[in-house]
């Protein structure tokens, strides 16, 4: 099954892991843009983005989920 996954936090990364383990073909991941965290304000990736990149899955990080943010799905 071809899947487009949308999520950002740790629990979403756990779900993505299971989807990959089940053998589904994840063709893209949508997650929130990288943001500064902690005292130093260092920019960090979301857990979902880290997992997607580890599995060579394309990552999309639109600022807003409007029609223009979903344009890559049309391909």
């Amino acid at each position: 099954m071809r899947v487009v996954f949308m999520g950002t936090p740790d629990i979403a990364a756990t779900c993505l892991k299971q989807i990959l383990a089940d053998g589904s073909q994840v063709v893209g991941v949508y997650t929130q843009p990288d943001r500064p965290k902690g005292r130093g304000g260092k920019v960090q990736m979301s857990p979902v983005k880290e997992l997607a990149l580890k599995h060579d899955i394309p990552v999309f990080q639109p600022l807003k989920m409007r029609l223009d943010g979903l344009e890559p799905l049309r391909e």
Side-chain angles (χ1 to χ4, degrees):
M1 175 186 327
R2 292 172 48 104
V3 174
V4 173
F5 186 84
M6 296 181 180
T8 298
D10 288 328
I11 188 71
T14 302
C15 295
L16 178 57
K17 252 184 231 178
Q18 187 60 50
I19 290 169
L20 291 168
D22 290 345
S24 294
Q25 179 188 7
V26 180
V27 296
V29 165
Y30 279 81
T31 188
Q32 291 183 7
D34 300 341
R35 298 222 164 103
K37 291 186 182 177
R39 286 183 171 216
K42 185 177 176 184
V43 175
Q44 293 182 353
M45 294 184 281
S46 73
V48 168
K49 181 179 179 181
E50 289 178 9
L51 182 60
L53 292 176
K54 190 182 208 183
H55 289 275
D56 296 320
I57 300 168
V59 176
F60 305 98
Q61 296 180 284
L63 293 176
K64 295 191 178 199
M65 288 299 293
R66 295 186 187 165
L67 292 178
D68 56 333
L70 297 174
E71 188 62 35
L73 286 177
R74 297 180 193 268
E75 297 175 7

